[in-house]
Amino acid sequence: MAGPKSFSGDEARRLLRRARTGTLASLNRDGGGPYASLVNVASDVAGATLLLLSALAWHTKNLDADPRASIMVAELPEAGDALTGPRITVMGRFAKVEEAGLRRRYLARHPAAAMYAGFGDFAFWRLVPEKVHAVAGFGRIETLEAAEVFPPTDEIADTEESAIAHLNEDHGLAVRLYATKLLGGRDGEWKVAAIDSDGADLVLGDASLRLEFERRVESANDLRSTLAALAAKARRQR
């Protein structure tokens, strides 16, 4: 019987959610060779990678011709060998998407992109994952199936928008404390812009902070109790 994995699906998904940039590897439409480019990344409620791409970019033209691609994100150590830091490569196929809520979730990670997100030559793309390769230094290497990293999140997806509205309208002080006391953000009228099973994204102007939950939440009741506990923790630090 196989032992526990050295890098779990939850760890991989959370690393992807924390990332703000990544390397997109697409197949060059002129000859099919690999082409790597720097991109801003966000995630949908389930954790799948979202990109906002210009139709003029090489990588977008590559994806139009062949949707097979991968995204690599990494967290580099402050010192020493960069290869000791964790990194995740998600392999799959990209598809252009226009679902409600994706723009909001992307801008929750990249508020400054609001100035061009509505331009006619920009569109959102989502990576439909097939395999995930995770590395966190010597001896911590795993290849995971997509289902191990991206489990269903139907109830959280269904309640996300109402939960965001409730927090911003009725619990503004708690949101402010999340940002300032738990995350070290500057004081101001922070707003919740996105929620998922692993955490929430808070925004203030062009600033964005990621509030991570200690454990994965799978229901509306679970979400309420988690947020209440975080609010209590923040108040104790006042």
Side-chain angles (χ1 to χ4, degrees):
M1 182 180 295
K5 291 185 180 296
S6 64
F7 204 127
S8 71
D10 277 354
E11 287 178 295
R13 188 184 61 257
R14 284 176 177 268
L15 194 157
L16 288 165
R17 290 204 193 274
R18 290 193 299 269
R20 293 178 56 82
T21 62
T23 300
L24 168 62
S26 57
L27 297 172
N28 200 322
R29 63 175 183 160
D30 294 327
Y35 172 72
S37 52
L38 178 67
V39 290
N40 286 335
V41 299
S43 65
D44 68 7
V45 177
T49 298
L50 297 175
L51 306 180
L52 177 61
L53 302 179
S54 168
L56 303 177
W58 267 25
H59 47 225
T60 310
K61 295 175 181 179
N62 291 343
L63 296 178
D64 276 327
D66 189 332
R68 292 177 297 167
S70 65
I71 283 284
M72 189 274 285
V73 303
E75 292 183 343
L76 302 181
E78 293 183 1
D81 188 348
L83 296 181
T84 62
R87 58 268 194 198
I88 306 293
T89 299
V90 184
M91 296 157 277
R93 296 171 184 265
F94 272 92
K96 195 178 295 186
V97 286
E98 298 181 355
E99 296 172 17
L102 296 185
R103 174 189 170 95
R104 171 179 51 75
R105 289 195 61 87
Y106 184 88
L107 295 181
R109 299 297 289 156
H110 306 284
M115 69 171 59
Y116 57 82
F119 289 0
D121 64 319
F122 277 82
F124 290 100
W125 292 73
R126 175 164 52 206
L127 177 57
V128 180
E130 297 173 356
K131 290 278 188 182
V132 178
H133 190 64
V135 181
F138 182 77
R140 294 196 65 199
I141 302 172
E142 297 287 348
T143 300
L144 307 168
E145 298 297 329
E148 296 179 81
V149 182
F150 308 104
T153 56
D154 294 345
E155 187 167 347
I156 298 300
D158 290 342
T159 197
E160 183 195 14
E161 291 196 9
S162 62
I164 290 171
H166 176 63
L167 283 165
N168 289 333
E169 293 169 10
D170 301 329
H171 298 283
L173 177 58
V175 175
R176 190 171 186 165
L177 292 176
Y178 294 153
T180 57
K181 300 302 182 181
L182 299 183
L183 302 175
R186 69 178 186 269
D187 192 30
E189 298 297 325
W190 288 86
K191 300 292 184 183
V192 179
I195 294 174
D196 50 67
S197 60
D198 301 307
D201 293 304
L202 314 181
V203 297
L204 176 63
D206 285 349
S208 174
L209 295 173
R210 178 70 179 171
L211 177 68
E212 288 202 351
F213 301 154
E214 290 185 1
R215 60 180 182 80
R216 175 180 169 81
V217 300
E218 297 183 352
S219 69
N221 286 337
D222 206 9
L223 177 62
R224 280 191 290 270
S225 63
T226 296
L227 290 168
L230 286 170
K233 179 180 179 180
R235 290 188 181 96
R236 290 195 296 270
Q237 297 185 31
R238 293 179 67 181

